[in-house]
Amino acid sequence: MSIQQYLKEIGRGKDGARPLSRPQAAELMGWLLDGQAHPLQVGAFCLAMRIKGETAAEMAGFMDAMHARLPLTEAPASPVVVLPSYNGARRLPVLTPLLALLLVREGLPVLLHGATTETSRTTATQVLAHLGHSPESHLRAPDPGELLLMGPRQLLPGLADLLDARATIGLRNPAHSLVKHFNPLGRGGFASLVVGCYTHPEYALSMAATHAEAGGHALLLRGMEGEPVADPRRQPAMRAILHGQTVQEWTTESGTIPTLPELPPHLDAAATAAFTREVLQGQRPLPATLATQVQAIVALHRQLQTACTPASPALPVTPGAHA
């Protein structure tokens, strides 16, 4: 079908719109990522999907298109932990860099990708710059105990354009949900563990459904202001998913914790980096919720590594089998 025909299918309003199949969604997203759509068509797609809402099959199809356009990389020595970081700090400090460096200290390979479309927020990349970490210009698999940073434009320029469309349209579009599922190593079919977050409880089910459709591996939780890190003020519910199936669920949210942890007094990158460094050096206590999240990721990574040993062949990149 043409782009116009797809827009007719999804643009008939909340009750009249028809869902796309996974291959159809992949074809449509491919045209958008390749810059083959007129700017008016891009805007129509963003608004139509905002009104209609995405199905799990559509989200999986969109990811298929993204994975197909990624560069091939060498197989990682160990499953990679993927941290999508696209929100940053608004009212609370962005602690995603602390989570990433705690995982690195555990010997895990970590790939953090992200940016923000809101210039007033402090980002994880800005904090990590104060800690001596710079983004890479080319995608590769990080080694065990290494943190690799990537921006969306370095990964997929078309994806970055869709994210940037928010500034013009004023509304989120499917790209803002896609990045929370996005595994940049997906083209090779390598086993990667995506730490995905949501801000509204209803998205817990839709995100789990997307990973089920795509056969992915993930730890899902209600993140801190949209970041994939546990809120230090409360213990979040967490869902572990391997090969699309829920394998474990951790404690449900239980309100505020008895003793609130000490957090940085300011939200700027320098203050957050100083706090992060002090926690890593043992000069400040590690918030209990982050300690629990790190333990969950390490345990899930161990299960994934056992299931996908280095001697095992890479998972095929076919519908339903994306890592």
Side-chain angles (χ1 to χ4, degrees):
M1 293 201 302
S2 66
I3 294 179
Q4 293 93 329
Q5 288 174 306
Y6 281 133
L7 292 176
K8 286 181 180 180
E9 293 293 312
I10 65 175
R12 299 178 185 273
K14 181 175 176 56
D15 298 322
R18 301 181 185 135
L20 302 179
S21 68
R22 184 168 174 174
Q24 289 174 333
E27 183 176 39
L28 174 56
M29 179 55 69
W31 286 330
L32 296 173
L33 293 175
D34 293 342
Q36 296 182 18
H38 187 279
L40 285 176
Q41 294 172 325
V42 175
F45 165 81
C46 292
L47 288 175
M49 293 302 298
R50 176 72 175 182
I51 295 169
K52 183 184 85 65
E54 306 94 356
T55 66
E58 288 171 338
M59 290 292 285
F62 293 157
M63 285 194 291
D64 289 342
M66 292 162 64
H67 289 161
R69 285 157 178 79
L70 289 166
L72 284 171
T73 64
E74 293 185 3
S78 174
V80 175
V81 177
V82 177
L83 299 178
S85 178
Y86 287 83
N87 283 55
R90 182 176 57 176
R91 295 188 298 267
L92 295 167
V94 57
L95 298 183
T96 308
L98 175 57
L99 172 63
L101 294 172
L102 287 168
L103 295 171
V104 166
R105 192 164 68 179
E106 294 288 337
L108 275 57
V110 178
L111 194 166
L112 188 152
H113 64 90
T116 178
T117 54
E118 298 184 37
T119 57
S120 61
R121 297 192 180 192
T122 300
T123 67
T125 302
Q126 291 169 341
V127 173
L128 286 164
H130 281 270
L131 295 169
H133 297 271
S134 302
E136 299 275 340
S137 58
H138 301 287
L139 178 64
R140 61 178 177 83
D143 295 324
E146 181 187 13
L147 172 61
L148 185 74
L149 305 182
M150 293 292 297
R153 192 158 296 280
Q154 286 68 47
L155 291 169
L156 285 173
L159 172 63
D161 290 340
L162 278 177
L163 292 170
D164 291 344
R166 180 179 184 176
T168 301
I169 298 173
L171 293 170
R172 290 165 53 87
N173 63 65
H176 295 90
S177 298
L178 281 169
V179 291
K180 295 180 182 291
H181 301 275
F182 185 31
N183 168 23
L185 300 174
R187 184 176 179 185
F190 308 127
S192 298
L193 177 65
V194 178
V195 182
C197 68
Y198 52 89
T199 52
H200 303 291
E202 61 268 23
Y203 286 110
L205 297 178
S206 63
M207 290 186 75
T210 296
H211 282 286
E213 172 71 25
H217 318 297
L219 178 73
L220 305 181
L221 75 156
R222 185 174 182 178
M224 181 172 165
E225 292 195 314
E227 287 286 310
V229 60
D231 190 328
R233 304 168 301 171
R234 60 181 62 88
Q235 183 64 56
M238 295 187 291
R239 179 193 298 260
I241 297 173
L242 292 179
H243 303 287
Q245 301 297 315
T246 297
V247 295
Q248 189 172 354
E249 293 187 65
W250 281 266
T251 180
T252 57
E253 298 198 30
S254 54
T256 57
I257 60 178
T259 303
L260 293 179
E262 183 180 0
L263 295 176
H266 304 288
L267 303 183
D268 62 279
T272 306
F275 173 84
T276 299
R277 187 182 296 109
E278 290 166 1
V279 172
L280 291 170
Q281 293 175 349
Q283 298 171 358
R284 290 180 182 268
L286 172 64
T289 58
L290 267 74
T292 299
Q293 185 183 10
V294 169
Q295 291 171 1
I297 293 173
V298 170
L300 191 57
H301 182 272
R302 189 178 300 117
Q303 294 181 53
L304 184 57
Q305 189 165 31
T306 300
C308 305
T309 60
S312 300
L315 298 175
V317 185
T318 56
H322 282 289

